[in-house]
Amino acid sequence: TSSLKLPTSGNDFLLLSVMNLSRKADLQILYKNRHKPFSLSQSDSFGRQNEAVSERNQKNYRLTLDFSSSANAEWKSRFEMVDVKYSADVRAERGFLWMQDLRLRTRHDLIVDARVIIFQTDSFDSRVYEFESDLRGTFSNPALFGKGIRWYLLARQRLTGYLELSAKYSRTVKDGAKTISSGSNEIMGDAESQLSFQIDVVL
């Protein structure tokens, strides 16, 4: 499948419900339904490639539980499933993500964020996304596909009244992968690690 090179139209539907289970716990339920056309390459009886327009329907189901065990510790658990179907004769796909977060605050202005993600999808088309905490001024929303595990640690320490040091280490391991990413970012093997440091002047 591929994206259309012509003007198209589609529709999105999103439903989000937040329930307060207690003073320390919240439960979020999210449902998203997206319809959009896509281009499908098919071969005719003469072996020629033709582009046909079909419909792609993706549904996301997500449960998130936020829990504050104390003033200095916050937990978050999430399970998400994606279901992708096509109007053409293309195999339906599924994927899921399970995520566990922990945030710790200390008396010495140190904040530590830790996350573990387990994911499994049929292909890139049924990928799942997870927005990550990161260094100030940066954005991280990786697409996870295939089968594997990802985890990271992020620490922020106030050095003085105006200086803050932050560091993040992340690692992704994919089962059976010979390479990760592509082009100039291609990594040989089934694991990718990244370490970042940053010093900010906070006014």
Side-chain angles (χ1 to χ4, degrees), residues 3-192:
S3 300
L4 287 170
K5 301 178 177 62
L6 298 172
T8 61
S9 63
N11 60 79
D12 281 344
F13 174 80
L14 187 145
L15 178 64
L16 175 63
S17 176
V18 181
M19 293 178 286
N20 299 115
L21 303 180
S22 69
R23 291 185 301 173
K24 295 184 177 181
D26 292 332
L27 177 65
Q28 298 179 15
I29 302 174
L30 182 143
Y31 169 73
K32 184 177 181 180
N33 194 329
R34 168 175 289 183
H35 287 270
K36 69 175 184 178
F38 72 97
S39 178
L40 179 66
S41 180
Q42 296 177 326
S43 299
D44 61 17
S45 57
F46 298 99
R48 296 172 299 189
Q49 293 293 320
N50 298 315
E51 295 294 324
V53 178
S54 184
E55 185 80 12
R56 181 182 185 274
N57 176 225
Q58 177 175 324
K59 296 179 181 179
N60 289 70
Y61 309 87
R62 179 190 296 172
L63 289 175
T64 305
L65 177 64
D66 288 302
F67 178 71
S68 299
S69 56
S70 69
N72 298 320
E74 298 177 7
W75 302 81
K76 176 185 289 186
S77 299
R78 172 175 293 172
F79 178 79
E80 182 167 355
M81 186 176 72
V82 57
D83 184 35
V84 181
K85 294 181 180 179
Y86 312 89
S87 60
D89 186 19
V90 180
R91 183 175 66 90
E93 295 194 5
R94 287 186 174 180
F96 80 88
L97 172 150
W98 176 83
M99 181 181 80
Q100 181 63 57
D101 278 0
L102 172 62
R103 168 170 284 191
L104 296 174
R105 296 183 177 90
T106 71
R107 299 178 181 177
H108 305 288
D109 295 325
L110 173 65
I111 300 176
V112 178
D113 287 308
R115 173 176 291 180
V116 177
I117 312 110
I118 297 174
F119 60 92
Q120 182 174 336
T121 75
D122 290 330
S123 76
F124 179 77
D125 201 39
S126 51
R127 60 197 177 274
V128 284
Y129 290 92
E130 49 96 21
F131 176 78
E132 296 183 355
S133 299
D134 214 320
L135 307 180
R136 287 181 182 269
T138 60
F139 178 82
S140 181
N141 187 27
L144 303 176
F145 59 96
K147 182 180 180 181
I149 184 171
R150 176 176 171 83
W151 62 271
Y152 71 81
L153 289 172
L154 172 65
R156 293 187 292 272
Q157 173 69 62
R158 184 63 66 93
L159 301 177
T160 66
Y162 300 100
L163 292 180
E164 181 184 80
L165 173 66
S166 55
K168 180 178 180 180
Y169 178 79
S170 62
R171 182 172 176 84
T172 304
V173 180
K174 289 189 174 183
D175 292 354
K178 295 182 180 180
T179 61
I180 294 181
S181 192
S182 60
S184 60
N185 296 321
E186 186 176 66
I187 298 174
M188 301 302 296
D190 62 353
E192 176 186 12

